[in-house]
Amino acid sequence: MYLVWIHLITWMVILVTTIIALFSQSRKLSLISMMITRVGYLFAIVTGVLLVSHAFSNHPALTIIKVILGIVLIGIIEMAFATKNRKRLTLGLAWLVIFFILLVGGLGLYLTSGYPLNQYL
């Protein structure tokens, strides 16, 4: 299932680039990281749509919750980016974004029963 790998790697890239965008002191590096994160959304949405039917057949309620949390997560990331651009980003909002990314990622790993990571543990 190469789509699971693409989805997982995309979310790891989104996590790293979001952290860089929010915590970097360099405006140029922050803007580049924000753009990479936004391109990552596209890959995450496309692969997520293609994977949702498999997850829905095993855990319908959790899949719906993950889809909603994923959409909310993109909104929270964009709110954090907007406040960063206005130089009003609070540490609490930055940590909330990271928490939500890890929450959605953890839920995604639960829905796949740890695949693809469980084959290496």
Side-chain angles (χ1 to χ4, degrees):
M1 273 197 112
Y2 66 92
L3 286 176
V4 175
W5 276 107
I6 294 170
H7 197 70
L8 176 65
I9 291 169
T10 299
W11 278 108
M12 290 182 348
V13 168
I14 288 172
L15 173 65
V16 171
T17 56
T18 301
I19 289 172
I20 292 169
L22 294 179
F23 291 103
S24 174
Q25 298 301 318
S26 166
R27 179 153 171 76
K28 184 176 180 180
L29 182 60
S30 287
L31 289 175
I32 291 169
S33 297
M34 288 177 193
M35 289 300 118
I36 293 170
T37 301
R38 290 172 176 139
V39 170
Y41 298 158
L42 299 175
F43 283 98
I45 290 169
V46 169
T47 56
V49 166
L50 295 172
L51 290 169
V52 77
S53 63
H54 176 69
F56 192 81
S57 65
N58 295 328
H59 303 284
L62 284 178
T63 302
I64 292 169
I65 291 170
K66 183 179 185 271
V67 168
I68 292 169
L69 285 177
I71 293 167
V72 168
L73 172 62
I74 291 172
I76 291 173
I77 292 172
E78 287 302 315
M79 284 181 5
F81 286 172
T83 57
K84 167 82 178 190
N85 286 335
R86 285 189 222 119
K87 299 183 190 313
R88 292 184 173 176
L89 179 66
T90 63
L91 195 57
L93 180 58
W95 283 110
L96 180 70
V97 169
I98 294 168
F99 171 75
F100 257 90
I101 292 173
L102 295 174
L103 176 70
V104 172
L107 187 55
L109 286 173
Y110 178 79
L111 287 172
T112 63
S113 301
Y115 181 84
L117 299 179
N118 65 359
Q119 62 191 22
Y120 298 107
L121 299 177

